């Protein structure tokens, strides 16, 4: 008996860690998708780009581009059961360098985490500020000065970022099922409850309907080519696709997971959370007569004044920043896992060593973003500081280009036979219509759309 147990535990140890149930897969994947993209980016980008018209382009992008790329990544990862680089190396025909997509993805993970960890750091600082009552003012001049003080302090900026790297590392080190999955399973329900509370508060304010109609009434005059690229890039960012996060997570899926169905659920869930965040923010913004197009500072300068205007606003402000931190945690875990999986799958590094190496590398790269508001404020590349450069580059270039190559690989190199086998779970599922629709999208529609939107958004072609 004892021997048998020993035997069992060695077997379990040698098997690759993975997600433990179908529900686990959906929650963890959704946990990756839902994050600051929903709560910080989505509202300010919708606000700055004309409301509902932007949402419509965003929706079309998630359907015609986002979903096919997500399904592709899950499929590749589950088939190869490795990190992003090794998976593509295993699946590509001999000597073809498709692993470069994975390598670009590992790079993108650091570029994204560099600014993402800093924003989470601000959110943590804001939980404390909100709880202490120091943000309880309706004067945007005061909240702007307060935000300026955080961004302007090099040490504060670094310390909050290190704090984020530290707690993320602790969860990652605990493993895929016992760390990531266990944490995200607790975080997601808490997030939903808090978001609904803030939504109800915002929607029941007298005059809330103006914010709702801003979200749902399209104004197409603001839809420039650049805005369309922003909407598509946001779809990539929101769904965590185009750089190997979903390949890595796909490698932890079970073989009986229905990939097209679970990816669709994640897409819908993520959209739901984005709309809820919009409904939590815009009605209140309009009720208190604040401009919705404040840009990235909406969350840290405008939102506090909005909460300060409402009854019991301080409590809702604290809830709001806690829920932002909760949402962001599930997302950054999935980014952090990309290099960690690469180091352990590819080089056989222990999880502990892989986590430590990633944490140190991130602290170094991330410091450029943390210091971009103070010590390095004058360092500009294409007119942008490091923080803005990382943000712009990842969303508008790295992710769409990565997605384009993933589509080309799946639709033109990997081919229909392999796709059919993987998406039907080797014939266990009867879904030929879904597979054919997916194949058409990934071979033609998605790559052409990505290419056209990318080139026109960057001003290379004019349509
Ligand atoms: N989707 C997350 C958000 O909306 C961020 C994120 C996590 C991400 N993993 C990613 C973005 C991979 C791009 C690629 O906040």
């Amino acid at each position: 008996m004892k021997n048998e147990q020993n035997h069992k535990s060695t077997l379990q140890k040698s098997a690759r860690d993975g997600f433990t149930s179908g529900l686990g897969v959906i929650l963890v994947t959704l946990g990756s998708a839902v994050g600051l993209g929903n709560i910080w980016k989505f509202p300010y980008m919708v606000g700055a780009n004309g409301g509902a018209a932007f949402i419509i382009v965003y929706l079309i992008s998630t359907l015609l581009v986002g979903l096919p790329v997500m399904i592709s990544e899950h499929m590749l990862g589950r088939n190869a059961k490795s990190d992003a680089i090794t998976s593509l190396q295993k699946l590509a025909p001999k000597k073809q360098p498709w692993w470069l997509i994975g390598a670009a993805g590992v790079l993108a993970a650091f570029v994204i985490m560099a600014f993402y960890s800093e924003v989470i750091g601000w959110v943590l600082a804001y939980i404390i500020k909100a709880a202490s009552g120091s943000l309880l003012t309706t004067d945007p001049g005061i909240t702007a000065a307060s935000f300026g003080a955080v961004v302007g302090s090099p040490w504060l900026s670094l310390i909050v970022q290190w704090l984020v790297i530290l707690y993320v590392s602790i969860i990652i080190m605990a493993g895929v099922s016992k760390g990531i999955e266990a944490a995200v399973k607790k975080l997601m329900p808490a997030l939903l409850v808090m978001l609904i509370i803030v939504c109800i508060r915002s929607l029941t304010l007298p005059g809330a309907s103006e914010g709702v109609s801003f979200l749902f009434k399209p104004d197409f005059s603001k839809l420039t080519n650049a805005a369309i690229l922003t909407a598509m890039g946001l779809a990539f960012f929101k769904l965590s696709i185009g750089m190997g996060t979903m390949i890595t997570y796909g490698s932890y899926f079970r073989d009986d997971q229905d990939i097209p169905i679970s990816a669709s659920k994640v897409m819908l869930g993520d959209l739901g959370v984005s709309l809820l965040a919009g409904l939590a923010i815009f009605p209140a913004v309009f009720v208190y007569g604040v401009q919705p197009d404040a840009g990235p500072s909406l969350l840290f300068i405008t939102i506090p004044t909005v909460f300060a205007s409402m009854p019991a606003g301080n409590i809702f402000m604290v809830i709001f920043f806690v829920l932002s931190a909760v949402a962001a945690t599930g997302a950054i875990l999935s980014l952090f896992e990309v290099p960690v999986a690469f180091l352990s799958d590819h080089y056989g590094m222990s999880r502990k060593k892989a986590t430590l190496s990633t944490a140190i590398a991130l602290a170094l790269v991330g410091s450029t973003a943390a210091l971009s508001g103070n010590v390095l404020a004058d360092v500009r590349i294409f007119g942008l500081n490091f923080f803005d450069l990382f943000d712009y580059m990842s969303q508008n270039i790295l992710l769409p280009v990565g997605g384009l190559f993933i589509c080309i690989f799946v639709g033109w190199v990997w081919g229909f036979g392999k796709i059919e086998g993987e998406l039907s779970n080797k014939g266990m599922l009867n879904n030929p219509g879904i597979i054919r629709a997916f194949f058409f999208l990934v071979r033609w529609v998605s790559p052409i759309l990505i290419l056209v939107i990318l080139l026109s958004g960057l001003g290379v072609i004019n349509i």
Side-chain angles (χ1 to χ4, degrees):
M1 187 65 196
K2 192 129 193 238
N3 253 341
E4 205 178 290
Q5 263 175 6
N6 271 343
H7 181 62
K8 240 179 155 177
S9 73
T10 25
L11 261 186
Q12 273 170 357
K13 248 188 214 141
S14 60
R16 202 162 171 270
D17 199 359
F19 303 138
T20 57
S21 67
L23 180 67
V25 164
I26 292 191
L27 279 180
V28 177
T29 314
L30 186 61
S32 165
V34 168
L36 293 170
N38 306 58
I39 290 159
W40 170 59
K41 280 188 178 229
F42 183 81
Y44 90 68
M45 287 180 175
V46 170
N49 293 293
F54 181 85
I55 298 183
I56 292 172
V57 179
Y58 172 79
L59 269 177
I60 297 173
S61 311
T62 55
L63 270 179
L64 297 184
V65 177
L67 198 54
V69 175
M70 188 189 287
I71 293 173
S72 299
E73 290 197 33
H74 287 166
M75 179 172 74
L76 297 175
R78 188 179 65 178
N79 190 276
K81 299 223 173 7
S82 285
D83 66 275
I85 296 181
T86 318
S87 286
L88 284 157
Q89 213 170 28
K90 278 187 188 167
L91 301 178
K94 282 261 162 318
K95 297 229 167 70
Q96 290 186 14
W98 292 96
W99 58 268
L100 283 168
I101 303 174
V106 172
L107 198 88
F110 282 103
V111 171
I112 296 173
M113 282 192 288
F115 71 87
Y116 207 88
S117 57
E118 186 57 31
V119 182
I120 306 180
W122 296 339
V123 169
L124 296 183
Y126 266 64
I127 295 175
I128 297 172
K129 273 179 184 266
S132 74
S134 73
L135 291 173
L136 213 51
T137 167
T138 53
D139 179 354
I142 299 180
T143 53
S146 171
F147 185 53
V150 175
V151 176
S153 157
W155 280 111
L156 188 61
S157 301
L158 284 173
I159 287 171
V160 290
Q161 187 178 50
W162 290 340
L163 209 72
V164 173
I165 298 176
L166 180 72
Y167 84 73
V168 169
S169 302
I170 292 172
I171 302 175
I172 288 284
M173 225 182 261
V176 173
S177 54
K178 296 212 174 75
I180 300 177
E181 185 179 349
V184 175
K185 269 184 176 164
K186 291 197 193 88
L187 293 174
M188 290 307 281
L191 166 66
L192 200 62
V193 172
M194 288 186 281
L195 192 55
I196 289 174
I197 294 175
V198 181
C199 243
I200 292 175
R201 171 65 281 188
S202 182
L203 283 171
T204 52
L205 292 167
S209 60
E210 207 183 321
V212 177
S213 72
F214 175 76
L215 267 182
F216 294 110
K217 252 204 224 129
D219 166 11
F220 288 101
S221 67
K222 285 203 179 156
L223 269 190
T224 57
N225 284 346
I228 293 176
L229 173 60
T230 302
M232 183 183 73
L234 181 63
F236 273 92
F237 190 90
K238 283 296 328 103
L239 296 173
S240 309
I241 54 176
M243 47 71 70
T245 281
M246 289 301 179
I247 297 180
T248 309
Y249 268 17
S251 75
Y252 303 133
F253 281 18
R254 291 143 35 105
D255 287 328
D256 61 358
Q257 192 74 30
D258 186 338
I259 288 178
I261 298 290
S262 61
S264 308
K265 285 184 184 162
V266 169
M267 196 260 307
L268 288 174
D270 179 68
L271 180 67
V273 174
S274 297
L275 292 177
L276 279 179
L279 287 174
I281 289 173
F282 287 112
V285 163
F286 278 88
V287 167
Y288 295 110
V290 183
Q291 282 304 312
D293 56 357
S297 60
L298 179 75
L299 190 61
F300 299 100
I301 296 178
T302 313
I303 295 296
T305 64
V306 169
F307 280 111
S309 311
M310 51 174 89
N314 218 22
I315 298 172
F316 291 104
M317 205 189 310
V318 174
I319 297 179
F320 184 78
F321 284 113
V322 171
L323 83 84
S324 305
V326 165
T329 301
I332 196 171
L333 284 171
S334 72
L335 284 161
F336 205 99
E337 180 64 20
V338 172
V340 170
F342 168 61
L343 292 176
S344 40
D345 284 347
H346 203 85
Y347 294 109
M349 233 183 233
S350 72
R351 201 163 170 88
K352 197 169 154 194
K353 224 170 150 191
T355 307
L356 281 177
S357 318
T358 304
I360 292 170
L362 177 57
L364 288 174
V365 182
S367 65
T368 58
L371 299 177
S372 69
N374 38 71
V375 183
L376 301 178
D378 293 333
V379 182
R380 302 271 156 164
I381 301 165
F382 304 117
L384 301 172
N385 66 21
F386 281 112
F387 182 101
D388 295 333
L389 179 74
F390 290 166
D391 187 359
Y392 182 87
M393 213 171 69
S394 56
Q395 173 168 326
N396 294 335
I397 298 171
L398 289 175
L399 300 178
V401 171
L404 176 62
F405 281 106
I406 289 169
C407 291
I408 295 174
F409 179 71
V410 167
W412 295 90
V413 180
W414 217 46
F416 189 76
K418 299 236 174 70
I419 293 174
E420 197 179 24
E422 195 58 38
L423 290 187
S424 68
N425 293 349
K426 307 209 167 57
M428 299 300 285
L429 300 173
N430 183 18
N431 53 358
I434 293 180
I435 295 175
R436 251 179 283 123
F438 165 78
F439 187 61
F440 179 68
L441 284 173
V442 84
R443 194 169 157 96
W444 297 104
V445 182
S446 321
I448 292 174
L449 264 181
I450 298 175
L451 199 63
V452 171
I453 295 179
L454 191 62
L455 294 180
S456 62
L458 296 175
V460 181
I461 54 171
N462 202 350
I463 41 169

